[in-house]
Amino acid sequence: MKDIQISTEVTLERLETKLTKSNDRQVEDFQQVKNEIRETQDLVNRQLKLQWISQGLRISQMNVIIRSIFTGQWTLFNNNDDMFSFMFTVVIPNIPVNARWSHIGVTVAGGYREGYATNELDHPCGLVIDEDQAVIIADSYNDRVVQWKFGDTNGQVIAGGRDRGNRLDQLNGPVDVLIDKETDSLIISDRENRRVVRWSRRSGTTQGEVLFKNIKCYGLAIDDQRYIYVADTDKHEVRRFRIGNKHGTIVAGGHGKGVQLKQLNAPTYIFVDQEQAVYVSDNNNHRVMKWNKGARKGILVCGGRGEGNAHTQLSYPQGLIVDTSGTIYVADSNNKRVMCWPKGATLGTIAVDGNGSREGTDQLNNAVGLSFDRHVTLYVVDSLKARVQRFSIE
């Protein structure tokens, strides 16, 4: 399989020459795909890079997938004939190191008070943003996952919310959630039930299914091959699971609690890049570690100089995102801020400053979950204020 990176327009022209003009349906399907790709280009400010992967080009079967490094996979077209497949990769532009986000956040979920009503949250934790900019939140103390569609003032319960418990229709202290686009489902870290569950996003779903159990799960991640990564705060490790395999493989930590490079201390949120390197918020060690695929020990990439609020330090890091240039964004929870660490840097910069613990929209009290949407807008879970804040690049 040979990877060829070329412009979108050139690729579309080449594919069009492969079409058999006598097949009107085929031509019509191709034109539909081409229009959708061009619409997607506009959404990411025409910063589209195409990775064309092919084996034995035949246009009779076409599977086109648009994949964003932040929002997952968007399947645009699937024509099940027989022999041809290729993948489009939408690469969100590397965020400039000197990028500045608005110091005034916009509340997009919660923000009224801690509570159980549809416009309230209670100690929200991890979140994910879907392709429609809906905010999906692990609402931990309410034992549910809620979705706030763009512009809504009330959320919708989409998993749990039937009191605290361990039935398949219940959750107990969920702390993270991600989207599995292939099955159109949510993967949920059901922490206090010591299990990871899958919950379909289809209308009418009333219960989930257990994927992995007997694990004090925290942060979750999924890679291109649909391996699921789970941070275990009891065993101080991160494991990689294939769905259907109950045991998994240790990919970070696993040598007991400690400060050595081969150890972790209460890992919380994680991020997996396209090379399957695992980034870990090593919470009680006040650092972020990177474990390359197959490595026996980690590499210190952020913090690790004791707890503190200097630009070389972190205090109980939580949510974590890494862009394609290797720049790390981390929720520095007890310092009430989001830090940005360029690849190889020993000094971080403040992306979003908490400015204290009051109620203003320019102030964070306890930054936990982080996510970007496809417009590189930053979303921060401000857990102790029971809200999600959105910050746009200035």
Side-chain angles (χ1 to χ4, degrees), residues 163-214:
D163 297 323
R164 180 172 299 169
N166 61 7
R167 299 194 313 257
L168 291 179
D169 64 343
Q170 294 177 310
L171 299 171
N172 186 353
V175 292
D176 203 11
V177 58
L178 56 81
I179 298 172
D180 179 4
K181 294 293 291 185
E182 185 164 318
T183 60
D184 191 24
S185 60
L186 303 175
I187 310 295
I188 302 167
S189 179
D190 190 11
R191 178 171 170 78
E192 298 306 321
N193 280 328
R194 303 180 66 90
R195 65 189 185 185
V196 175
V197 297
R198 178 166 59 190
W199 205 291
S200 174
R201 299 183 72 193
R202 295 181 179 88
S203 177
T205 299
T206 58
Q207 66 180 37
E209 61 175 318
V210 177
L211 296 180
F212 320 115
K213 59 184 179 180
N214 300 322

Side-chain angles (χ1 to χ4, degrees), residues 56-217:
L57 179 64
R58 290 190 187 176
I59 203 70
S60 56
Q61 180 186 19
M62 187 178 290
N63 297 313
V64 179
I65 301 175
I66 298 294
R67 180 171 57 79
S68 160
I69 62 171
F70 293 125
T71 60
Q73 293 188 332
W74 314 330
T75 301
L76 297 182
F77 176 73
N78 188 351
N79 181 25
N80 294 315
D81 287 341
D82 57 8
M83 283 296 293
F84 175 77
S85 68
F86 64 97
M87 177 179 286
F88 289 99
T89 302
V90 177
V91 179
I92 294 180
N94 296 334
I95 303 168
V97 174
N98 61 351
R100 293 291 179 267
W101 279 265
S102 172
H103 69 283
I104 302 294
V106 176
T107 300
V108 295
Y112 293 93
R113 60 182 180 181
E114 293 178 353
Y116 191 74
T118 57
N119 64 349
E120 295 172 327
L121 300 167
D122 193 351
H123 285 76
C125 291
L127 81 166
V128 64
I129 314 300
D130 75 7
E131 60 267 31
D132 297 319
Q133 291 184 276
V135 182
I136 300 170
I137 311 155
D139 189 11
S140 187
Y141 281 22
N142 283 328
D143 307 300
R144 65 189 185 183
V145 174
V146 291
Q147 173 178 280
W148 294 63
K149 293 182 179 179
F150 185 79
D152 280 359
T153 56
N154 288 273
Q156 174 190 4
V157 178
I158 55 176
R162 297 171 181 256
D163 297 323
R164 180 172 299 169
N166 61 7
R167 299 194 313 257
L168 291 179
D169 64 343
Q170 294 177 310
L171 299 171
N172 186 353
V175 292
D176 203 11
V177 58
L178 56 81
I179 298 172
D180 179 4
K181 294 293 291 185
E182 185 164 318
T183 60
D184 191 24
S185 60
L186 303 175
I187 310 295
I188 302 167
S189 179
D190 190 11
R191 178 171 170 78
E192 298 306 321
N193 280 328
R194 303 180 66 90
R195 65 189 185 185
V196 175
V197 297
R198 178 166 59 190
W199 205 291
S200 174
R201 299 183 72 193
R202 295 181 179 88
S203 177
T205 299
T206 58
Q207 66 180 37
E209 61 175 318
V210 177
L211 296 180
F212 320 115
K213 59 184 179 180
N214 300 322
I215 180 170
K216 194 68 170 179
C217 47

Side-chain angles (χ1 to χ4, degrees), residues 319-335:
L320 183 63
I321 296 173
V322 185
D323 75 10
T324 53
S325 71
T327 298
I328 298 166
Y329 296 84
V330 57
D332 190 10
S333 64
N334 277 21
N335 283 327

Side-chain angles (χ1 to χ4, degrees), residues 358-372:
R358 299 186 300 277
E359 298 301 318
T361 55
D362 63 337
Q363 293 154 344
L364 298 173
N365 192 9
N366 182 234
V368 178
L370 285 187
S371 190
F372 283 104

Side-chain angles (χ1 to χ4, degrees), residues 39-48 90 93 374-376:
E39 289 173 6
T40 302
Q41 282 182 284
D42 293 336
L43 290 175
V44 294
N45 298 320
R46 300 186 180 278
Q47 298 293 322
L48 182 66
V90 177
R374 64 175 179 261
H375 303 295
V376 202

